[in-house]
């Protein structure tokens, strides 16, 4: 017995077993189907039911799309062309396409301006999103974009956005100079400088309102998907920094700062967005001086930004809480001060952890911009629900219009989602 | 502190000599966590070039003590003077002390989103305002010293525990600290990696660095320490040069502790 044991334990391999390919019936499509679709009775039943459902849906959807027509200028012509084929009346999308994009009040001959602004977005956004591949100076394009886009979409003298930009730039320069005396004095000096530049700029703009002036377009004229994009882009890009500030503020040791952040976050999160929008639309004007011409879009932007920044703050707080305490201690022990530790050590990691949550909020925010339709702004949804569906030309063409709206939103949101997943992969620094 | 001239080995380099210049002076220091009195009447003077090992049972306050020295923990009573700078609530003094005092943690605490090189250059660039190129040269010098220059462009997550701890030491050294604190630097490591970290620390000691180590590596204590401090229940119970400390512990608790950790 003991001999046999010793024999089985002592073993030295002296030859290598060569690697062999797997048996042929264990590869290919047949194997995949057998394993994934028909591995058991229950699985087979599920597969058959799934195929039936898919068949039912597609047998309705495909003829609807294939037999659809893009011809005709109203619902009657459309029905004549379609006859009994059961196809879709895509003509409404062709005929109302410019309205769906720009709203029905934006002057036809000026539509090129938002279009240019839209395409410039593809120049301005990559430096921020793909910062690791592009040279640093390209970020200047991103910084410049809001002013260019504003000028293009709203028109007016180029001087107003120029002075706004100059105010911010001057504030930044002052901040970098004064910052060494402390963060708060730097911030105050920066704000004071910016306000001074804007105030002076106000006189100049008034005196020379004709300089490089594009024909002005009122905020009321903004509509369609353009309005959703404006609100979405502006609110997302504003609510991220504000959300970060709120999240850090909530961790602050200063009771006043902490208290303000907690109250702000809890209050805004506890209130429905629609309520805030009604407040923006109606109530806010009671509190403001009567002569103040506080643009409705600005009011809506403030409300949506406040709303989503409260959510983003909580998402980022989760990321901050997930960081081990040792990261703070290591940063401290190297002598980094608070802003440096946050900027270089804590936030890069906390934001990375928070990406899925932030994207969740961003996508939700973008879709929530359709809520402005309840305060009679004609965004994509408001426009379809109001002017288009209630016109005698296209009454009752629901499916086609809502499908178009869904596709427009889906393309943007899916893009955001794909980007965030790519970014997460990029930022992985463990074993790769 | 006449017992300081304790370089028992005659062949130790001159750098290991202890000067009579005071590096850290702690007087009557007390600290509480809430109601819990963690550190009680701590008096400790550390001279430049001295290497002190602090040991004791867990919960005895040894980590808290060295964490007070660079203000990671706040003390409530008494005074701590580091390199002539009094540790007060003044943030400027705290940041100044922190940039003079290096610290290595049990769990390394490298920055996982930065490469090894960036980990090492970050503080010199942002705190000392060293030009990037110069900071990188310094970093490579110290990475070579801890024998991992070839990992410079990897991320901490790709390194073994021992390598990470050596990077952490290099990261601290890049700030050219006058004092190094070690908080159980080998406790989270596999046995085979402990040696490479200890070797690095021994090398550092031989170059004359002032060091305070919380550790249970008694071999290390014997070899490089010129003082061993035993703490229990927030107090310094016994301190002596290593030879005497291990051979002839005076206090009962010290004897019990030593018999437990050296007993197997």
């Amino acid at each position: 017995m003991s001999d046999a044991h010793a024999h089985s334990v002592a073993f030295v391999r002296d030859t290598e077993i060569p690697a062999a390919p797997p048996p042929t019936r264990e590869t290919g499509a047949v194997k995949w189907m057998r394993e994934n679709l028909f591995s058991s009775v229950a699985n087979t039943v599920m597969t058959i039911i799934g195929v039936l459902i898919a068949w039912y849906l597609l047998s309705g959807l495909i003829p609807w799309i294939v037999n659809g027509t893009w011809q005709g200028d109203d619902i009657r012509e459309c029905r004549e062309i379609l006859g009994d084929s059961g196809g879709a009346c895509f003509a409404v999308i062709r005929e109302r396409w410019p309205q769906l994009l720009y709203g029905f009040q934006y002057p036809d001959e000026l539509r090129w301006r938002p279009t240019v602004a839209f395409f410039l977005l593809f120049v301005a956004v990559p430096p921020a999103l793909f910062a690791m591949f592009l040279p640093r100076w390209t970020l200047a394009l991103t910084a410049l974009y809001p002013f260019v886009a504003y000028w293009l979409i709203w028109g007016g003298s180029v001087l107003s956005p120029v002075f706004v930009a100059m105010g911010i730039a001057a504030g930044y320069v002052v901040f970098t100079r004064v910052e060494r005396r402390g963060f708060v004095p730097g911030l105050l000096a920066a704000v004071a400088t910016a306000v001074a530049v804007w105030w002076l700029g106000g006189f100049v703009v008034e005196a020379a309102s004709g300089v490089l002036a594009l024909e002005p377009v009122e905020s009321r004229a903004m509509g369609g998907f353009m309005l959703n994009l404006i609100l979405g882009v502006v609110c997302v890009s504003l609510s991220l920094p504000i959300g970060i500030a709120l999240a850090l503020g909530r961790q602050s040791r200063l009771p006043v700062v902490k208290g303000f952040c907690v109250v702000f976050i809890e209050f805004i999160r506890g209130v429905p967005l629609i309520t805030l929008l009604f407040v923006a639309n109606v109530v806010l004007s009671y509190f403001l001086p009567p002569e103040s011409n506080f643009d409705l879009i600005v009011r809506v932007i403030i409300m949506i930004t406040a709303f989503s920044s409260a959510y983003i703050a909580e998402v980022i707080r989760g990321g901050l809480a997930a960081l081990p305490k040792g990261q703070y201690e290591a940063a401290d022990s190297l002598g980094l001060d608070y802003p440096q530790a946050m900027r270089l050590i804590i936030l890069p990691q906390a934001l990375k952890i928070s990406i899925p949550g932030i994207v969740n909020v961003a996508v939700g925010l973008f879709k929530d911009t359709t809520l402005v339709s309840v305060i009679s702004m004609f965004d994509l949804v408001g426009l379809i629900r109001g002017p288009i569906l209630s016109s005698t030309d296209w009454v009752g063409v629901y499916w086609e219009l809502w499908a178009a709206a869904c596709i427009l939103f889906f393309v943007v949101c899916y893009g955001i989602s794909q980007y965030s997943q790519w970014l997460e992969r990029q930022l992985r620094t463990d074993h790769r | 502190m006449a017992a300081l001239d304790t370089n028992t080995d005659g062949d130790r380099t001159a750098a290991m000599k202890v000067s009579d210049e005071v590096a850290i002076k702690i007087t009557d220091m007390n600290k509480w966590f809430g109601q819990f009195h963690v550190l009680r009447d701590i008096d400790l003077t550390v001279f430049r070039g001295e290497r002190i090992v602090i040991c004791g049972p867990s919960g005895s306050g040894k980590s808290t003590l060295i964490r007070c020295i660079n203000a990671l923990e706040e003390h409530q009573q008494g005074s701590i003077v580091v390199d002539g700078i009094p540790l007060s609530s003044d943030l400027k003094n705290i940041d100044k002390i922190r940039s003079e005092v290096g610290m290595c943690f049990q769990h390394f605490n490298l920055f996982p989103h930065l490469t090894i090189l960036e980990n090492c250059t970050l503080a010199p660039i942002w705190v000392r305002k060293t030009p990037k190129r110069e900071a990188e040269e310094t970093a490579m010098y110290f990475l070579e010293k801890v024998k991992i220059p070839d990992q410079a462009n990897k991320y901490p997550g790709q390194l073994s525990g021992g390598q990470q701890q050596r990077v952490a030491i290099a990261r601290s050294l890049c700030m050219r600290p006058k004092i190094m604190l070690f908080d159980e630097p080998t406790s989270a490591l596999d046995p085979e990696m402990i040696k490479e970290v200890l070797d690095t620390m021994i090398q550092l000691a031989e170059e004359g660095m002032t060091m305070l180590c919380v550790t249970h590596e008694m071999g290390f204590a014997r070899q490089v320490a010129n003082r061993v401090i035993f703490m229990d229940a927030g107090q310094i119970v016994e301190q002596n040069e290593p030879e005497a400390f291990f051979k002839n512990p005076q206090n009962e608790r010290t004897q019990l502790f030593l018999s437990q950790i050296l007993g197997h």
Side-chain angles (χ1 to χ4, degrees), chain A residues 148-166:
Chain A
V148 175
Y150 172 83
W151 183 52
L152 283 171
I153 296 174
W154 272 268
S157 165
V158 76
L159 286 177
S160 346
V162 163
F163 272 106
V164 173
M166 275 169 59

Side-chain angles (χ1 to χ4, degrees), chain B:
Chain B
M1 286 290 159
L4 280 172
D5 190 18
T6 57
N7 289 334
T8 44
D9 298 0
D11 60 335
R12 288 275 163 80
T13 51
M16 284 195 86
K17 284 248 168 57
V18 174
S19 80
D20 51 3
E21 212 179 317
V22 175
I24 303 170
K25 188 162 179 63
I26 303 176
T27 357
D28 287 332
M29 194 259 279
N30 278 281
K31 173 170 177 59
W32 289 262
F33 282 130
Q35 290 297 310
F36 179 57
H37 199 173
V38 250
L39 292 175
R40 308 179 192 178
D41 292 338
I42 302 290
D43 276 294
L44 179 66
T45 307
V46 181
F47 292 86
R48 203 166 292 296
E50 223 186 342
R51 299 161 302 281
I52 294 180
V53 163
I54 304 173
C55 59
S58 67
S60 59
K62 41 194 197 312
S63 288
T64 313
L65 171 59
I66 68 166
R67 287 159 59 88
C68 280
I69 292 171
N70 66 352
L72 285 184
E73 302 283 357
E74 224 177 327
H75 62 281
Q76 279 94 31
Q77 267 179 19
S79 78
I80 301 179
V81 180
V82 181
D83 199 38
I85 311 165
L87 195 59
S88 55
S89 53
D90 186 349
L91 283 176
K92 266 186 196 144
N93 276 1
I94 290 180
D95 280 339
K96 208 166 167 192
I97 287 176
R98 282 172 175 167
S99 61
E100 303 295 335
V101 178
M103 174 132 190
C104 288
F105 300 87
Q106 181 177 2
H107 297 288
F108 333 131
N109 297 352
L110 294 178
F111 305 129
H113 63 300
L114 300 176
T115 63
I116 299 305
L117 189 64
E118 288 165 343
N119 262 282
C120 293
T121 56
L122 184 100
I125 290 175
W126 289 91
V127 180
R128 293 248 192 268
K129 315 284 179 208
T130 316
K132 190 171 176 221
R133 173 160 302 227
E134 199 185 315
E136 282 176 355
E137 278 166 17
T138 314
M140 285 315 291
Y141 169 77
F142 283 112
L143 285 175
E144 241 154 75
K145 220 162 167 175
V146 301
K147 304 193 179 67
I148 27 180
D150 45 327
Q151 315 279 9
N153 291 315
K154 288 194 181 169
Y155 286 94
Q158 296 165 300
L159 268 55
S160 74
Q163 288 174 323
Q164 289 195 41
Q165 191 61 292
R166 283 184 284 152
V167 171
I169 295 173
R171 178 177 72 177
S172 298
L173 293 178
C174 284
M175 287 293 282
R176 309 258 183 206
K178 295 177 177 156
I179 299 160
M180 283 288 290
L181 308 174
F182 293 86
D183 188 0
E184 307 207 27
T186 55
S187 306
L189 294 176
D190 290 341
E192 52 191 322
M193 292 169 182
I194 291 178
K195 185 175 180 299
E196 61 189 50
V197 171
L198 289 182
D199 283 346
T200 311
M201 289 167 63
I202 291 169
Q203 189 188 350
L204 203 57
E206 282 168 357
E207 284 162 15
M209 177 65 76
T210 311
M211 293 165 70
L212 265 84
C213 313
V214 172
T215 182
H216 294 135
E217 296 298 330
M218 291 304 142
F220 172 78
R222 262 184 236 264
Q223 195 180 341
V224 298
N226 27 29
R227 223 191 316 170
V228 180
I229 291 179
F230 175 73
M231 286 184 71
D232 191 21
Q235 301 146 72
I236 295 180
V237 171
E238 187 163 349
Q239 53 175 318
N240 210 335
E241 51 192 79
E243 196 86 354
F245 179 85
F246 288 112
K247 272 203 185 126
N248 194 15
Q250 301 297 313
N251 189 293
E252 235 173 80
R253 279 180 287 184
T254 319
Q255 291 162 359
L256 181 69
F257 177 76
L258 286 177
S259 73
Q260 273 165 348
I261 65 163
L262 301 175
H264 54 84

Side-chain angles (χ1 to χ4, degrees), chain A residues 165-177:
Chain A
M166 275 169 59
I168 294 173
Y172 178 75
V173 170
V174 168
F175 176 76
T176 51
R177 293 284 158 78

Side-chain angles (χ1 to χ4, degrees), chain A residues 44-341:
Chain A
T44 311
V45 172
M46 298 277 278
T47 304
I48 292 169
I49 292 175
V51 168
L52 285 176
I53 291 175
W55 172 254
Y56 175 75
L57 289 177
L58 289 177
S59 64
L61 189 64
I62 290 177
W64 185 70
I65 293 174
V66 172
N67 295 332
T69 178
W70 294 83
Q71 304 301 317
D73 286 333
D74 58 35
I75 184 74
R76 284 164 294 281
E77 280 182 39
C78 216
R79 290 212 173 112
E80 258 168 51
I81 296 169
L82 286 171
D84 296 333
S85 67
C89 181
F90 294 122
V92 63
I93 294 165
R94 179 186 54 80
E95 204 242 351
R96 295 294 174 117
W97 183 245
Q99 274 194 10
L100 291 175
L101 290 189
Y102 304 102
F104 68 109
Q105 284 166 310
Y106 204 92
D108 294 3
E109 69 281 6
L110 301 180
R111 279 176 187 155
W112 64 271
R113 279 167 24 189
T115 313
V116 171
F118 176 71
F119 284 107
L120 282 179
L121 196 61
F122 293 96
V123 179
V125 168
L129 296 191
F130 304 101
M132 55 287 249
F133 301 124
L134 293 168
R136 249 183 106 75
W137 64 265
T138 54
L139 276 173
L141 298 176
T142 315
L144 218 55
Y145 179 76
F147 309 104
V148 175
Y150 172 83
W151 183 52
L152 283 171
I153 296 174
W154 272 268
S157 165
V158 76
L159 286 177
S160 346
V162 163
F163 272 106
V164 173
M166 275 169 59
I168 294 173
Y172 178 75
V173 170
V174 168
F175 176 76
T176 51
R177 293 284 158 78
V178 185
E179 195 202 0
R180 69 190 57 162
R181 300 214 193 132
F183 185 79
V184 176
L187 200 65
L188 290 178
V191 171
T193 315
V195 170
V197 172
W198 291 333
W199 183 67
L200 289 174
F203 293 114
V204 179
V205 172
E206 226 164 274
S209 57
V211 180
L212 276 174
L214 293 173
E215 192 179 323
V217 180
E218 269 194 53
S219 286
R220 271 284 165 199
M222 306 294 155
F225 198 52
M226 175 179 78
L227 181 58
N228 295 113
L229 278 176
I230 293 174
L231 292 176
V233 171
V234 172
C235 295
V236 169
S237 33
L238 287 180
S239 58
L240 189 60
I242 297 177
I244 292 173
L246 285 171
L248 293 178
R250 199 171 181 165
Q251 286 198 328
S252 171
R253 284 188 198 169
L254 308 172
V256 177
V257 175
K258 183 176 178 160
F260 172 79
C261 293
V262 170
V263 170
F264 181 89
I265 292 170
E266 296 300 337
F267 175 73
I268 297 282
R269 269 203 320 169
V271 176
L273 178 55
I274 293 196
T275 327
L276 291 178
L277 291 177
F278 278 124
V279 169
N281 191 23
V282 189
V283 188
L284 221 54
S285 33
Y286 289 124
F287 293 106
L288 296 167
E291 73 276 9
S292 75
N293 179 24
F294 207 48
D295 200 292
L296 179 62
I297 287 197
V298 176
R299 281 183 269 162
V300 167
I301 284 175
I302 291 175
M303 286 305 179
I304 299 182
T305 304
F307 189 77
S308 52
S309 56
Y311 277 87
I312 286 185
E314 286 299 279
V315 169
I316 293 174
R317 191 166 69 98
L320 290 171
L323 279 194
K325 205 164 151 254
Q327 291 293 311
Y328 292 85
E329 289 177 353
D332 283 347
S333 74
L334 286 171
L336 297 172
D337 59 23
Y338 178 82
Q340 288 171 339

